[in-house]
Amino acid sequence: MNRRITKCGFIIATCALVMACSSRKEAAVKVQDGDTVKAGVEGVSRRILEILDNKGEVAEAGAMTARCSGCPSGEKVYRVCHPWSIYKALFADMWKGMDRLRGELPKNGRKILRDGEDGSKAKSPQVVAESNGGEFALDVRLHKASDVGNAPDLLEVTVESACYRPK
């Protein structure tokens, strides 16, 4: 759970430069239907799951709507965040899934912004990408099993929308 919270915070911070509410970018925040944005995020998640092609179990909380950071307190600007993970799969298979992801993201209209180790002590492999239009961001991390807390091998994924104003 702490990994998911940390990861969500990281992707929010990573995308804040593109999606935050500010006087310069305010006009760039689109007016959209929240259900449509949520369906788009879930569609991107399904596509990522297909590319990863792992036989493990999938744990997901479902897509969640939250306010965008950096907006004036009365401003109603939101984003959709969909965290999920794959577990009970072989680490080597999840590694291969990340390699497939690296190759397929550019073919599927995604630009890889970061590909390397995350900032954790474990130095977990991480891929951060966004759609070419900036509508969606993606953060994928592969965690090796740890005796601390009996943490299993885990492939964590978060898909997040750009900020939007509801219709």
Side-chain angles (χ1 to χ4, degrees), residues 5-67:
I5 291 168
T6 302
K7 183 172 59 108
C8 242
F10 177 80
I11 196 166
I12 290 166
T14 300
C15 299
L17 295 174
V18 178
M19 299 184 286
C21 201
S22 69
S23 56
R24 286 185 323 186
K25 304 266 184 183
E26 199 159 324
V29 177
K30 294 180 182 176
V31 174
Q32 295 181 290
D33 174 66
D35 290 337
T36 303
V37 175
K38 186 175 179 180
V41 167
E42 290 171 342
V44 171
S45 284
R46 280 190 300 278
R47 180 64 186 128
I48 298 305
L49 183 59
E50 289 171 4
I51 293 169
L52 291 170
D53 189 30
N54 284 150
K55 304 302 180 222
E57 292 188 33
V58 177
E60 68 170 300
M64 302 170 281
T65 302
R67 286 204 165 191

Side-chain angles (χ1 to χ4, degrees), residues 82-159:
H82 187 209
W84 53 275
S85 59
I86 298 174
Y87 65 103
K88 290 189 180 177
L90 296 174
F91 186 83
D93 291 343
M94 291 189 283
W95 186 274
K96 289 176 188 174
M98 281 200 65
D99 281 342
R100 272 190 301 281
L101 192 65
R102 289 178 180 99
E104 291 296 318
L105 284 172
K107 296 176 190 176
N108 284 270
R110 310 286 187 270
K111 179 181 176 184
I112 295 176
L113 303 175
R114 177 184 166 100
D115 185 358
E117 297 173 345
D118 68 4
S120 70
K121 283 185 178 181
K123 299 180 180 174
S124 299
Q126 176 188 35
V127 173
V128 176
E130 72 178 7
S131 57
N132 288 333
E135 301 91 352
F136 303 103
L138 167 70
D139 185 345
V140 180
R141 297 178 195 216
L142 179 58
H143 301 284
K144 186 80 175 139
S146 170
D147 291 334
V148 178
N150 285 332
D153 291 334
L154 186 71
L155 187 61
E156 283 189 290
V157 179
T158 300
V159 177

